[in-house]
């Protein structure tokens, strides 16, 4: 319960003047001029004297902290007379539900932030978004916020209530809903995070925090996403059975029944061994921005890594036996991993991989029967594709149109026509 007393009239205080704290020696029974304050003091210390008549600093103008049960002057809590009346009557939008002293408010804000951090299981909102994560993020989001910044504010700033925590929390959610496409992984996680924060955190230990300025905008984002989803469902429903008609006569020509749409194509199995690495959520967050080898799972030796031009996976050159030191920039940029290897001549993926040869210098793959001259089986010794041969005898004049995909040699310095 809140303690109330009769209010006492007070005169308007004039402009306050600060002076050195060492010169202040007024006893408690002596009135101090309202125009003089000790250095660093926020209010006139004589307002706390027993005989004072300053409203908000008397023994009857006090409130009880709902947590520690200690008394707080209304003036020290930053309340004016109207707010004090509304708080005492339970009508204040924040303090009418719960009033906390400054110290308890700090502890409660820290507790709320810690609860929110525990709800962020994927750590999507744990750290500030940098240019490495999203290059145009700060062009779209003008007021970024994250849980680490929120925790720093809770520890180092002083507030009269914890309503600001919900304001920053819903700013995080609003930014995520604004930057990411509706229905995407981070968008959906932001919606779940918002609902969990309201139901599991603020409804229990943050009940005095009213909806923030972003609450209505967040609800509007949800409605827009539902409308877009409904339109897409209607479009798919209409496309399930399509009638093609003659554009001139308008007569029906044929009726097509379309197959069910798939969420994603089936994932093909890997033709090579790979390692699955189990990580803690905190480690997974940081590892998700690192390039790790598909085969061994390590992020070390990054200078030897190759990236598949088709699937984008990273591989150590020594894990896939790729000759990275003899590969030029074009070969590195167009390199394909063993799972994505195709014939560079035909562009097909042969059913029998034994019918393919791999260049010793660039790791490109070629079908045996499409080479010139053709081969029945893999020759012994080195095999170099025409793209990597730089003939020192004819200076590549035998290839007027440039290096051929079908030609090959056993020596990178001599083409096949010159005896390679």
């Amino acid at each position: 319960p809140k303690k109330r007393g009769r209010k006492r009239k007070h005169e308007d205080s004039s402009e306050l003047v600060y002076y050195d704290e060492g010169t202040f020696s007024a006893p408690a029974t002596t009135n101090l001029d309202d125009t003089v304050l000790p250095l660093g003091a926020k209010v006139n210390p004589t307002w706390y004297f027993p005989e004072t008549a300053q409203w908000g600093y008397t023994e009857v103008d006090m409130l009880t902290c709902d947590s520690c049960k200690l008394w707080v002057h209304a003036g020290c809590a930053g309340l004016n007379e109207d707010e004090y009346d509304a708080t005492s009557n339970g009508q204040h939008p924040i303090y009418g539900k719960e009033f906390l002293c400054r110290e308890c408010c700090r502890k409660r804000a820290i507790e709320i932030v810690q609860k929110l951090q525990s709800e962020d299981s994927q750590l999507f909102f744990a750290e500030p978004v940098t240019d490495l994560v999203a290059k145009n993020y700060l062009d779209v989001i003008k007021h970024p916020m994250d849980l680490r910044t929120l925790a720093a504010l809770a520890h180092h700033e002083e507030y009269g209530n914890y309503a600001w925590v919900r304001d920053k929390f819903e700013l995080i959610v609003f930014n995520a809903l604004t930057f990411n496409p509706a229905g995407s992984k981070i968008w959906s996680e932001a919606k779940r995070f918002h609902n969990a924060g309201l139901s599991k955190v603020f409804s229990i230990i943050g009940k005095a925090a009213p909806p923030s300025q972003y609450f209505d905008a967040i609800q509007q984002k949800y409605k827009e996403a539902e409308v877009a989803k409904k339109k897409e469902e209607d479009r798919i429903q209409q496309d399930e059975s399509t009638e093609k008609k003659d554009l001139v006569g308008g007569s029906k020509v044929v009726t097509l029944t379309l197959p069910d749409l798939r969420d994603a194509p089936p994932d093909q199995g890997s033709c090579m061994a790979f390692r699955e690495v189990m990580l803690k959520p905190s480690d997974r967050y940081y590892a998700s921005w690192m390039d790790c080898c598909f085969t061994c799972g390590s992020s070390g030796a990054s200078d030897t890594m190759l990236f598949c031009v088709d699937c984008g996976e990273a591989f150590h050159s020594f894990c896939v036996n790729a000759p990275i030191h003899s590969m030029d920039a074009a070969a590195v940029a167009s390199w394909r991993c063993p799972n994505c290897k195709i014939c560079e001549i035909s562009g097909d993926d042969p059913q029998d991989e034994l019918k393919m040869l791999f260049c010793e210098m660039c790791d490109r793959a070629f079908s045996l029967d499409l080479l010139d001259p053709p081969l029945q089986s893999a020759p012994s010794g080195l095999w170099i594709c025409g793209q990597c041969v730089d003939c020192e005898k004819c200076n590549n004049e035998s290839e007027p149109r440039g290096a051929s995909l079908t030609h090959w040699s056993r020596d990178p310095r001599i083409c096949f026509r010159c005896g390679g």
Side-chain angles (χ1 to χ4, degrees), residues 27-322:
T29 57
T30 304
N31 289 330
L32 179 69
D33 185 358
D34 284 350
T35 62
V36 181
L37 284 183
L39 185 63
K42 296 182 180 180
V43 299
N44 195 321
T46 62
W47 291 354
Y48 298 108
F49 294 170
E51 60 271 19
T52 185
Q54 179 69 33
W55 184 90
Y57 296 91
T58 69
E59 63 179 4
V60 294
D61 303 324
M62 305 184 77
L63 297 168
T64 307
C65 175
D66 289 330
S67 179
C68 65
K69 307 305 180 183
L70 296 179
W71 297 95
V72 181
H73 282 118
C76 294
L79 274 64
N80 58 36
E81 199 163 351
D82 292 335
E83 291 175 329
Y84 175 71
D85 287 339
T87 301
S88 301
N89 296 327
Q91 298 176 353
H92 193 281
I94 299 177
Y95 302 124
K97 298 178 181 178
E98 185 177 33
F99 175 79
L100 299 177
C101 65
R102 295 298 173 90
E103 183 61 27
C104 290
C105 183
R106 182 194 300 273
K107 294 179 180 179
R108 181 65 61 83
I110 294 174
E111 182 183 3
I112 292 175
V113 173
Q114 290 175 344
K115 293 289 186 181
L116 292 175
Q117 289 175 326
S118 66
E119 290 296 332
D120 182 22
S121 57
Q122 299 296 323
L123 300 179
F124 286 151
F125 317 109
E127 301 288 336
V129 179
T130 63
D131 289 340
L132 295 176
V133 178
K135 291 186 179 298
N136 64 331
Y137 183 81
L138 297 180
D139 296 331
V140 178
I141 303 302
K142 302 304 181 183
H143 304 286
M145 182 53 57
D146 59 277
L147 290 177
R148 189 178 74 175
T149 303
L150 192 58
L153 292 174
H155 280 87
H156 303 297
E157 298 292 337
E158 186 175 280
Y159 300 90
N161 58 71
Y162 51 77
W164 67 273
V165 181
R166 178 165 177 176
D167 185 82
K168 302 298 184 184
F169 159 68
E170 293 189 332
L171 174 59
I172 294 174
V173 175
F174 177 72
N175 288 344
L177 298 179
T178 301
F179 184 78
N180 298 282
S184 63
K185 184 176 182 180
I186 298 182
W187 192 97
S188 301
E189 178 62 17
K191 182 177 180 180
R192 184 208 64 80
F193 180 52
H194 184 227
N195 294 332
L198 296 182
S199 61
K200 298 181 181 180
V201 181
F202 285 98
S203 63
I204 300 174
I205 60 175
K207 58 185 178 181
S212 72
Q213 57 181 319
Y214 305 102
F215 182 79
D216 291 338
I218 290 174
Q219 299 303 317
Q220 182 63 30
K221 292 288 185 182
Y222 293 159
K223 292 179 181 179
E224 293 174 356
E226 288 296 328
V227 171
K229 181 180 179 181
K230 183 65 169 59
K231 288 182 178 179
E232 180 64 13
E233 291 176 349
D234 292 342
R235 184 191 68 79
I236 294 176
Q237 183 68 25
Q238 294 173 359
D239 289 346
E240 286 183 352
S241 180
T242 303
E243 292 185 354
K244 290 189 175 181
K245 297 185 178 180
D246 187 282
L247 298 180
V248 179
S251 59
K252 183 170 69 173
V253 177
V254 64
T255 299
L256 298 177
T257 301
L258 302 180
D260 295 335
L261 297 178
R262 295 184 303 185
D263 294 334
D267 189 13
Q268 301 294 330
S270 174
C271 69
M272 55 190 301
F274 60 91
R275 181 184 298 275
E276 292 185 358
V277 182
M278 306 301 293
L279 299 174
K280 297 179 181 178
S282 57
D283 296 333
R284 184 171 69 243
Y285 172 78
Y286 293 102
S288 62
W289 309 110
M290 300 170 63
D291 295 321
C292 298
C293 177
F294 181 83
T295 302
C296 68
S298 171
S299 61
S302 58
D303 58 326
T304 66
M305 279 190 176
L306 292 169
F307 297 88
C308 178
V309 69
D310 287 339
C311 69
E313 292 287 354
F315 295 82
H316 286 125
S317 59
F318 48 81
C319 287
V320 290
N321 294 323

